[in-house]
Amino acid sequence: MKFFIGILMSMVAVCASAAEVISIVSPYTPAHKGHAAIYKILEKANTSQQQYTFILELKPGSAGVVALTSMDRSPNTSIGLIHASFVQNSIDGLIREENYVPISSLGDACWFIVAKSGDEHQGIKSLVSTNDRLVFGGVGIGSATQLTALGLGLAIKKEVQFVPFQSAADAGILLVGNNEVNLGIMPMNDFESLHSRNNSLKRLAMHCPRRHPDAKWVTTTREQGVVSPYVFNTFVVSKEMPLTKQKELSAILDQAIVSVGSATILDISGFHPPVFDKVPVGKYHNERVMLFKEALTRHQADINKFKKGN
């Protein structure tokens, strides 16, 4: 009996080892909100089939270039997670946009624009009457967050000063204390945590194509006249990967995302994947890239001025 059990265990081990390891390479640090959702997605993906074993690798640095460079070294066994800075990197010639094919997506970061004062039902127009200098804490020069801050200023016809931080968490924490930062952007769970420490915080807009199901009275930035790109995360593969494999990985990830569920993903990460809107990932990705390019063109002078420190 022990002999047959040993053979069975060996067969299981062989089958397990036959699964090809696929690395999802993330450009973010461990604190990134999307990772919590990705771990759940990969858990579903790994239990739904035996052909592939998905793992997550973190390769932060150079606004996403380090992660894509790492992925390029193993084009047949890697998936890259990209964010909006992918567009700027392509414009700057640091990467070639056409080398990457979108196969699935974590989607839009449905985050609130939060202020130390204002009215949630009036939204961003409640900032018009304030005499305080508007200081928006966020991540990255030329990022979707900075473009949102610039778009907010245009919508209310007031200057909004952008202050970059190493992480969104660092920027959000300053909203609690007595300091100049009085605007930020964050997911629902971060807002709830900070609101428990400073109940004057208000959600003035939802920066997402849709309203949050648990705060439907807070209208979207687009509904309030703020024209800016969305923070998005897309899974891409190298164009060198065989088309049949691209389709297989796409189907596995999409099904895993559906299995986890939109409510869970939104709750733990603040993201809303396009698969729930039945939008093809290629169409979704191209639209998000186009929005980002348009915003960069619209605000390039302001970004250049900011980079020079003026």
Side-chain angles (χ1 to χ4, degrees), residues 28-77:
Y28 296 108
T29 62
H32 177 56
K33 294 296 179 183
H35 289 156
I38 292 173
Y39 281 122
K40 284 191 171 294
I41 292 166
L42 298 193
E43 182 181 352
K44 292 289 186 181
N46 287 332
T47 55
S48 68
Q49 46 78 49
Q50 296 180 333
Q51 186 175 358
Y52 303 107
T53 297
F54 294 88
I55 63 173
L56 181 65
E57 290 186 30
L58 309 187
K59 299 284 185 180
S62 301
V65 175
V66 171
L68 284 179
T69 301
S70 175
M71 179 195 128
D72 289 340
R73 297 191 190 102
S74 305
N76 288 320
T77 57

Side-chain angles (χ1 to χ4, degrees), residues 47-285:
T47 55
S48 68
Q49 46 78 49
Q50 296 180 333
Q51 186 175 358
Y52 303 107
T53 297
F54 294 88
I55 63 173
L56 181 65
E57 290 186 30
L58 309 187
K59 299 284 185 180
S62 301
V65 175
V66 171
L68 284 179
T69 301
S70 175
M71 179 195 128
D72 289 340
R73 297 191 190 102
S74 305
N76 288 320
T77 57
S78 296
I79 297 173
L81 179 67
I82 65 166
H83 47 50
S85 293
F86 170 84
V87 182
Q88 184 65 65
N89 290 334
S90 178
I91 293 172
D92 292 341
L94 299 174
I95 59 170
R96 294 178 64 87
E97 185 181 327
E98 61 271 20
N99 287 347
Y100 304 99
V101 181
I103 62 165
S104 187
S105 183
L106 194 57
D108 297 308
C110 292
W111 292 7
F112 292 104
I113 291 180
V114 176
K116 284 185 176 178
S117 62
D119 184 284
E120 291 192 352
H121 293 278
Q122 291 184 18
I124 63 171
K125 67 181 182 182
S126 62
L127 297 173
V128 174
S129 60
T130 182
N131 293 321
D132 296 333
R133 188 162 62 102
L134 299 178
V135 182
F136 196 116
V139 179
I141 301 171
S143 66
T145 305
Q146 186 189 15
L147 293 169
T148 300
L150 292 169
L152 173 64
L154 288 176
I156 62 176
K157 296 180 172 58
K158 297 190 73 168
E159 181 180 359
V160 176
Q161 180 184 352
F162 180 76
V163 178
F165 289 85
Q166 287 294 320
S167 70
D170 291 341
I173 288 172
L174 289 183
L175 281 173
V176 177
N178 182 22
N179 54 72
E180 289 188 325
V181 176
N182 50 21
L183 286 165
I185 186 167
M186 64 191 71
M188 173 70 93
N189 51 9
D190 280 7
F191 169 78
E192 291 175 339
S193 175
L194 293 177
H195 189 262
S196 67
R197 297 158 60 186
N198 182 353
N199 59 16
S200 69
L201 296 180
K202 306 295 181 185
R203 296 162 294 189
L204 301 187
M206 164 59 71
H207 189 49
C208 186
R210 63 197 56 76
R211 300 187 188 187
H212 197 287
D214 296 329
K216 292 183 178 180
W217 61 90
V218 180
T219 55
T220 67
T221 46
R222 192 56 58 95
E223 287 178 297
Q224 298 188 57
V226 178
V227 181
S228 65
Y230 300 114
V231 178
F232 68 92
N233 279 184
T234 301
F235 297 112
V236 299
V237 295
S238 169
K239 69 176 183 180
E240 296 179 18
M241 180 181 285
L243 182 59
T244 53
K245 190 172 185 179
Q246 292 179 24
K247 291 181 177 180
E248 286 174 354
L249 297 178
S250 174
I252 293 169
L253 288 177
D254 279 354
Q255 185 54 53
I257 289 170
V258 171
S259 296
V260 175
S262 61
T264 298
I265 293 173
L266 184 63
D267 181 55
I268 64 177
S269 71
F271 281 83
H272 180 88
V275 66
F276 295 112
D277 299 325
K278 302 189 185 308
V279 178
V281 65
K283 181 176 186 293
Y284 165 84
H285 176 77

